[in-house]
């Protein structure tokens, strides 16, 4: 499978990517996770990215494209689920070129669609395991033991960019810079729109139906 999971912050890309990864044994490539790891490791990329991320802005295209290409180069025949990349037309074009070079074009871009009020509610209740990156939610996906990751027992945390001011900025950035990428993929005939309101299993069933799997 070669899929991009598309959608505004809080649309459920990480959660659905995790489900798809399990089903298709594909690689889960999240540029957000890679950048957070770089910030935690205090690498040059991390030091550069941190300010953008804390403000809810996009990290410059050249930095993110290099990260995505490096991860894509390491994927096998089972393919990949891209989560949070591309987020600009420049990134989408760079992705197409990289995939054309290896003769493995995108099969689907799945757009997870959710109303903005619900996005804010979802983001402000979001927690994540810093060790294995499994996402949780105070309302819709509570861990079995409060504050502890079901998968690896890591101590759950809330991201700095899930604070209200950063959330509002991320949604503004999505509307102005990322949403136009949908037209790019509509033109290529790979876009599938999925109603992403409902419980995780319902949405996953709709995603699978959209990709014929
Ligand atoms: P995410 O976890 O995907 O919401 O990403 C968290 C933050 O990382 C974003 O708000 C951006 O600052 C940065 N980021 C992740 N992916 C990208 C991307 N494709 N382009 C630019 N910035 C990104």
């Amino acid at each position: 499978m070669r899929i991009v999971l598309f959608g505004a912050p809080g649309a459920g890309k990480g959660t659905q990517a995790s489900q798809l990864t399990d089903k298709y044994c594909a690689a889960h490539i999240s540029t957000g996770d890679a950048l957070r790891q770089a910030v935690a490791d205090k690498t040059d990329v991390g030091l550069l990215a941190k300010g953008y991320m804390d403000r809810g802005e996009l990290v410059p295209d050249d930095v993110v494209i290099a990260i995505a290409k490096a991860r894509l180069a390491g994927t096998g025949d089972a393919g990949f689920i891209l989560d949070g990349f591309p987020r600009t037309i420049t990134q989408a074009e760079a992705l197409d070129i990289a995939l054309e070079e290896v003769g493995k074009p995108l099969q689907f871009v799945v757009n997870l669609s959710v109303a903005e009020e619900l996005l804010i509610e979802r983001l402000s209740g979001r927690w994540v395991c810093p060790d294995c990156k499994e996402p949780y939610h105070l309302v819709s996906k509570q861990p079995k033991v409060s504050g502890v990751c079901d998968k690896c027992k890591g101590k759950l945390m809330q991201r700095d960019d899930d604070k209200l001011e950063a959330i509002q900025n991320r949604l503004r950035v999505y509307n102005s810079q990322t949403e136009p990428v949908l037209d790019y993929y509509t033109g290529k005939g790979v876009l599938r729109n999925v109603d992403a309101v409902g419980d995780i299993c319902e949405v996953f069933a709709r995603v699978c139906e959209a990709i014929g799997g």
Side-chain angles (χ1 to χ4, degrees):
M1 275 291 167
R2 298 183 301 281
I3 297 178
V4 165
L5 270 182
F6 202 91
K13 297 187 296 294
T15 305
Q16 294 301 322
S18 167
Q19 309 260 328
L20 284 170
T21 305
D22 289 349
K23 178 165 176 176
Y24 293 105
C25 299
H28 178 185
I29 301 177
S30 158
T31 42
D33 284 348
L35 288 165
R36 277 184 287 281
Q37 189 62 53
V39 171
D41 294 344
K42 298 192 168 57
T43 64
D44 289 348
V45 166
L47 294 174
L48 183 149
K50 187 173 182 336
Y52 293 97
M53 295 173 76
D54 288 348
R55 291 189 297 272
E57 294 169 10
L58 294 186
V59 173
D61 283 334
D62 54 345
V63 174
V64 185
I65 289 168
I67 292 174
K69 280 168 105 172
R71 301 274 160 135
L72 282 165
T75 60
D77 289 343
F80 54 81
I81 313 296
L82 271 167
D83 157 11
F85 181 92
R87 270 171 145 108
T88 63
I89 300 276
T90 304
Q91 293 177 20
E93 288 171 346
L95 176 63
D96 272 351
I97 292 168
L99 296 177
E100 268 163 30
E101 275 168 10
V102 292
K104 292 187 171 174
L106 276 182
Q107 293 171 292
F108 302 104
V109 174
V110 177
N111 176 36
L112 300 174
S113 152
V114 176
E116 190 153 315
E117 312 81 72
L118 191 53
L119 291 172
I120 293 172
E121 189 186 308
R122 283 184 177 185
L123 288 168
S124 50
R126 202 156 81 161
W127 290 72
V128 67
C129 174
D131 299 331
C132 75
K133 317 297 178 212
E134 184 68 9
Y136 292 88
H137 195 276
L138 292 182
V139 178
S140 58
K141 192 188 170 200
Q142 295 176 356
K144 291 192 187 91
V145 178
S146 173
V148 179
C149 178
D150 294 346
K151 285 197 169 173
C152 76
K153 308 291 174 227
K155 189 171 179 292
L156 303 184
M157 55 163 285
Q158 192 171 33
R159 290 164 32 174
D160 284 344
D161 60 354
D162 282 341
K163 292 178 187 146
L164 189 59
E165 200 180 325
I167 290 172
Q168 285 166 337
N169 200 33
R170 288 163 69 201
L171 292 173
R172 268 195 299 273
V173 167
Y174 174 80
N175 290 331
S176 63
Q177 296 184 58
T178 305
E179 207 174 38
V181 178
L182 288 175
D183 288 341
Y184 175 87
Y185 285 126
T186 301
K188 298 206 168 265
V190 289
L191 186 69
R192 303 289 181 274
N193 285 305
V194 169
D195 171 7
V197 179
D199 77 29
I200 293 167
C201 294
E202 275 168 18
V203 176
F204 186 57
R206 286 180 215 139
V207 169
C208 291
E209 197 186 341
I211 63 176

